[in-house]
Amino acid sequence: MSFTRRSILAAGSLAVASTALRGISLAADATDTRFTPRELGNPNAKIVVEEWFSLTCIHCAHFAENTFPQVQKELIDTGKIRYVFHDFPTDQLATVAAMVARTLPPERYEPFCSSLLSSLDRWAYIKEGSPKDELKKMAAFAGMPGDTFEKAIADQQLMQFILNQQTEAQDKFHFDSTPTFRFNNKEQVSSALTYEDFTKYLAKAS
């Protein structure tokens, strides 16, 4: 999903100015799993792949449905790579969804995100009804009680953490669309990669 810096700022319009939020990521308690890294695979793998994605992005959904399962089977589960997920919401609904995902236990983060991305038409882009209500139903299927959901979407500290991480990544890497991947901090590409292209970038970064 293509975006501009204005769209990124719009995603965080519910927060106070980002300059007042610097340091949230540093201040976050490392034992609070809302703020811990979301990653899969061998922690000692020589190749680290990072993905920045938005939970309302159709291109992120395409990668999640068509390429990621093979990446997980062939590269993550075999210990060849460490895969790191980064929330990069491009609108307010994606921000709320990322907050809910991070409130779940870490082991449920990736399955929940995959579930959201594979069913955008059932919650994010429904023609009738409330996306928030549908998101709440999906969170319930993932084991999140209703009161926990309401606390999650009102969690200002968590929202600020996500938006700070997003702003820092944009300032450092100058993304222009999602999903964006970085391979061992050597190769960067913004595209819903096929598995073949994914492995080509891996080879370049090795």
Side-chain angles (χ1 to χ4, degrees), residues 39-48 76 79-84:
E39 54 188 50
L40 297 174
N42 179 6
N44 299 313
K46 294 182 179 180
I47 298 179
V48 178
I76 298 174
K80 295 178 181 178
I81 68 172
R82 176 163 61 93
Y83 199 94
V84 184

Side-chain angles (χ1 to χ4, degrees), residues 156-168:
Q156 294 294 301
Q157 185 184 20
L158 178 56
M159 179 177 66
Q160 292 168 3
F161 171 81
I162 291 171
L163 297 176
N164 280 348
Q165 294 289 301
Q166 179 188 38
T167 299
E168 290 167 7

Side-chain angles (χ1 to χ4, degrees), residues 40-157:
L40 297 174
N42 179 6
N44 299 313
K46 294 182 179 180
I47 298 179
V48 178
V49 179
E50 299 175 89
E51 179 190 359
W52 285 261
F53 68 101
S54 174
L55 285 169
T56 55
C57 170
I58 59 174
H59 304 295
C60 300
H62 182 82
F63 174 83
E65 291 185 74
N66 296 287
T67 304
F68 185 76
Q70 190 171 3
V71 169
Q72 183 164 20
K73 180 180 178 181
E74 303 292 339
L75 302 171
I76 298 174
D77 292 347
T78 57
K80 295 178 181 178
I81 68 172
R82 176 163 61 93
Y83 199 94
V84 184
F85 300 95
H86 296 284
D87 303 299
F88 201 92
T90 52
D91 56 52
Q92 290 186 8
L93 183 58
T95 303
V96 171
M99 292 163 65
V100 174
R102 278 193 161 268
T103 302
L104 287 166
E107 66 273 13
R108 297 184 197 170
Y109 173 87
E110 185 277 323
F112 182 67
C113 288
S114 292
S115 177
L116 293 184
L117 288 168
S118 68
S119 56
L120 291 178
D121 60 332
R122 297 205 304 271
W123 71 279
Y125 298 116
I126 56 173
K127 295 181 180 180
E128 297 181 3
S130 165
K132 174 188 167 184
D133 289 344
E134 295 306 312
L135 178 62
K136 186 174 184 178
K137 292 177 184 177
M138 296 187 71
F141 281 122
M144 178 178 286
D147 59 341
T148 302
F149 176 86
E150 296 299 334
K151 290 178 182 178
I153 66 173
D155 190 335
Q156 294 294 301
Q157 185 184 20

